[in-house]
Amino acid sequence: MILLGLMAAAWSVMAQEPKREFRGAWLNTIYRGEYAKMSTEECKKYLSSQLDKLQSAGINAVFFQVRPQADAFYPSELEPWSRFLTVGGKAPVPFWDPLQYMIDQTHARGMELHAWLNPYRVTSAAKQTLPKNHLYHKHPERFLRYEGKLYFDPGLPANRDFIVQVVSDIVTRYDVDGIHFDDYFYPYPGKTEFPDNASYRKYGGKMKRADWRRKNVDLLIEAVHGSIHSLKPWVRFSVSPFGIWRNKKSDSRGSETAGLENYDALYADVLLWAERGWVDYLIPQLYWERGHRLADYDVLVKWWNENVSSCHLYIGQDVNRSMDKPDLSGEADQLKSKLQACRIAPNIQGVCWWPAYSISDNYKGVAERLRTELHKSVAIVPAYTWLCTDKPSVPASVRVSSGILRWDAPKVTWSVNDAVRFVVYRFDSDKKVNLDDASAIVAVTNSRELKVATPGVYMVTALNRVNVESEPSAKVRVK
């Protein structure tokens, strides 16, 4: 009876979608050969099409990979153009800036853009050559080769300073909503030991090597967070760690799992970063299926929900595995049950889908399922109230003319409380106004006007840069 009650409560949650829910998607550029084969205009059209499809599926935040391998999908004086966009580190011809384009395009759709960087990775193959203007040619002593691939040595303070400089450059020059690191810190373990003997002798002191490595990553995370918030306090910093912090057999605080451990293998003490306030949200990559023998999705959702409460927590989802694996309930896939598990967990505020291309390609009908069943309502990205509690100004002079709803708002002043997006609500009548009802949201937009055709009562609110919502505007009736 208890189980039936929990299931009934869960289905009730699914039936009424949350007004606030992070719905991200990772749009990777590494190992994507299409970009380098396209012209500038073809790239723009392709990316615009990707965003249209993601928006249609209910995605409200896009992670665009702008630094896959110590290179750049934007003009940089610090690192060369990415080999996944151009050849030989040369600027694209005709010139364009993919990062700026993606910022403009996501914001025009009312979506967020989080710039996704990999901190330490430099190459992915032993024979890969680097452009002449790469930092490696100037300071080869700052890099290590491991299992045939090249990495920044995480033990060198100069490398931490350089990565912070790269992040600061992006934050200074671009109107990004966030900076995002993925799960690659120290390399995933291979057959040999990572060759950092020299830096360990110089900087390790009396620390055990494992503790010293974790300290190196801690210092990077703390420095990146501090730099971002000193420049633009509203820009959020996030990490998507490997899905297991530690197994219970290694640590009493760990999960009932038996897989590779973040803390011990990648030297990423993710819980510490959350506790110290060095990340604004975490997205653990829980790509396993429900019922997995070594890393059960349900076990890990429960563990992360119970162990992260000092920052936002979203769950990384593998689109293909969710659609390929039959559910424990007997359904053909696990898409609904995985999302349901997140929605009923009190400390989980959303999900992020990997890869975005599987959604835009509608893999096994996933985009259609999201659009018509699981993301039927428009969702607002959760508010980061520890960054700002003030509400932005209420949209003023709301009026409708020739089917266009318009409103006024103060000009942007590059402060956290700028009104940068607007939420348009529609209700059947004055008596049914309920701003907590997600189904009443018509659109989230960065524009100050919206075409409306359905009769009803309309109201508009503003969102500031950390998604705190204003009080509602006056009501306007559309006949």
Side-chain angles (χ1 to χ4, degrees):
M1 290 179 66
I2 293 174
L3 178 60
L4 289 173
L6 290 173
M7 290 176 63
W11 286 112
S12 176
V13 170
M14 290 295 292
Q16 185 174 359
E17 293 181 30
K19 172 181 171 178
R20 295 273 188 172
E21 185 171 59
F22 193 91
R23 299 173 180 173
W26 282 294
L27 193 68
N28 60 296
T29 55
I30 191 170
Y31 309 133
R32 299 294 302 195
E34 61 265 43
Y35 294 103
K37 296 176 183 178
M38 295 179 184
S39 67
T40 294
E41 287 306 310
E42 287 172 337
C43 268
K44 289 181 177 180
K45 289 180 180 179
Y46 179 72
L47 286 170
S48 182
S49 174
Q50 292 292 314
L51 295 180
D52 285 342
K53 293 173 181 177
L54 293 173
Q55 183 186 29
S56 175
I59 301 303
N60 55 23
V62 174
F63 294 83
F64 183 52
Q65 194 174 29
V66 300
R67 187 184 187 255
Q69 289 187 325
D71 52 10
F73 263 70
Y74 59 95
S76 170
E77 294 183 357
L78 301 172
E79 295 183 306
W81 284 93
S82 176
R83 70 186 182 96
F84 298 105
L85 181 70
T86 67
V87 178
K90 297 179 181 178
V93 179
F95 179 85
W96 72 302
D97 183 340
L99 175 53
Q100 186 60 58
Y101 182 79
M102 288 294 283
I103 292 169
D104 293 341
Q105 292 296 312
T106 51
H107 287 179
R109 292 166 173 79
M111 306 161 83
E112 292 191 344
L113 192 285
H114 297 241
W116 167 16
L117 298 80
N118 179 276
Y120 298 131
R121 183 175 55 204
V122 181
T123 66
S124 55
K127 296 182 179 180
Q128 182 179 331
T129 58
L130 296 170
K132 293 180 180 179
N133 60 338
H134 197 283
L135 180 68
Y136 171 75
H137 297 299
K138 186 176 181 180
H139 291 289
E141 74 282 359
R142 288 166 52 179
F143 297 80
L144 297 173
R145 193 167 292 278
Y146 176 64
E147 302 280 316
K149 303 173 184 178
L150 201 64
Y151 299 87
F152 283 91
D153 183 349
L156 299 180
N159 285 342
R160 288 195 292 272
D161 293 343
F162 179 75
I163 295 168
V164 170
Q165 187 180 4
V166 169
V167 171
S168 300
D169 177 52
I170 294 173
V171 173
T172 301
R173 294 197 289 132
Y174 293 96
D175 187 18
V176 293
D177 297 288
I179 294 291
H180 181 69
F181 283 0
D182 52 26
D183 55 318
Y184 295 94
F185 292 98
Y186 275 81
Y188 277 77
K191 297 179 180 179
T192 60
E193 180 68 18
F194 188 68
D196 57 356
N197 288 334
S199 53
Y200 178 53
R201 284 194 300 267
K202 186 172 183 180
Y203 297 105
K206 296 181 179 181
M207 297 181 71
K208 293 180 180 179
R209 189 177 301 226
D211 292 334
W212 171 73
R213 286 175 175 173
R214 274 187 291 274
K215 183 66 174 178
N216 292 332
V217 183
D218 292 346
L219 289 170
L220 174 67
I221 297 298
E222 181 182 16
V224 168
H225 177 269
S227 177
I228 291 171
H229 286 278
S230 69
L231 293 167
K232 291 178 180 176
W234 59 86
V235 174
R236 286 145 272 156
F237 179 44
S238 65
V239 175
S240 57
F242 182 75
I244 298 173
W245 175 71
R246 297 192 90 185
N247 301 310
K248 186 172 282 291
K249 67 179 181 180
S250 300
D251 191 311
S252 61
R253 297 180 298 167
S255 53
E256 292 285 0
T257 51
L260 181 138
E261 299 165 301
N262 248 309
Y263 185 92
D264 303 275
L266 306 180
Y267 306 99
D269 192 358
V270 180
L271 293 189
L272 177 70
W273 306 343
E275 292 164 0
R276 296 284 178 86
W278 296 340
V279 289
D280 297 300
Y281 62 87
L282 291 173
I283 316 180
Q285 298 174 16
L286 305 192
Y287 293 166
W288 302 279
E289 65 269 21
R290 300 183 66 215
H292 190 282
R293 184 173 62 87
L294 300 178
D296 187 296
Y297 174 87
D298 292 341
V299 168
L300 285 165
V301 165
K302 182 176 183 292
W303 186 89
W304 283 98
N305 175 70
E306 292 175 348
N307 285 275
V308 175
S309 58
S310 53
C311 69
H312 280 187
L313 176 64
Y314 317 134
I315 299 300
Q317 309 280 355
D318 184 308
V319 174
N320 291 34
R321 186 171 293 189
S322 298
M323 299 303 294
D324 290 343
K325 298 291 183 179
D327 192 47
L328 303 178
S329 67
E331 291 197 21
D333 60 65
Q334 297 191 354
L335 184 72
K336 181 188 292 185
S337 62
K338 282 187 169 184
L339 185 55
Q340 171 184 303
C342 296
R343 284 182 173 170
I344 64 176
N347 290 326
I348 296 174
Q349 297 98 350
V351 297
C352 192
W353 303 97
W354 164 264
Y357 302 97
S358 287
I359 293 179
S360 58
D361 291 342
N362 196 26
Y363 179 75
K364 292 190 174 181
V366 64
E368 190 66 14
R369 285 276 304 282
L370 291 174
R371 185 181 68 82
T372 62
E373 182 181 352
L374 303 174
H375 290 173
K376 289 187 295 184
S377 301
V378 177
I380 304 171
V381 172
Y384 300 79
T385 51
W386 62 90
L387 298 178
C388 176
T389 57
D390 295 335
K391 295 182 178 183
S393 300
V394 178
S397 302
V398 182
R399 65 269 185 198
V400 63
S401 176
S402 303
I404 305 295
L405 187 71
R406 294 184 174 88
W407 57 90
D408 297 333
K411 291 183 178 180
V412 169
T413 61
W414 292 100
S415 65
V416 66
N417 212 26
D418 284 334
V420 293
R421 275 177 282 274
F422 304 91
V423 186
V424 179
Y425 298 85
R426 190 202 71 84
F427 304 96
D428 290 332
S429 69
D430 291 342
K431 296 180 181 179
K432 293 187 177 182
V433 170
N434 177 11
L435 294 180
D436 293 325
D437 181 4
S439 66
I441 299 176
V442 176
V444 176
T445 177
N446 75 335
S447 177
R448 285 164 170 74
E449 63 179 40
L450 184 73
K451 185 176 181 180
V452 292
T454 307
V457 174
Y458 285 78
M459 302 172 75
V460 183
T461 63
L463 298 175
N464 69 13
R465 293 185 181 274
V466 293
N467 296 305
V468 174
E469 189 174 19
S470 74
E471 295 297 326
S473 71
K475 301 171 186 176
V476 171
R477 184 173 297 278
V478 174
K479 298 180 180 180

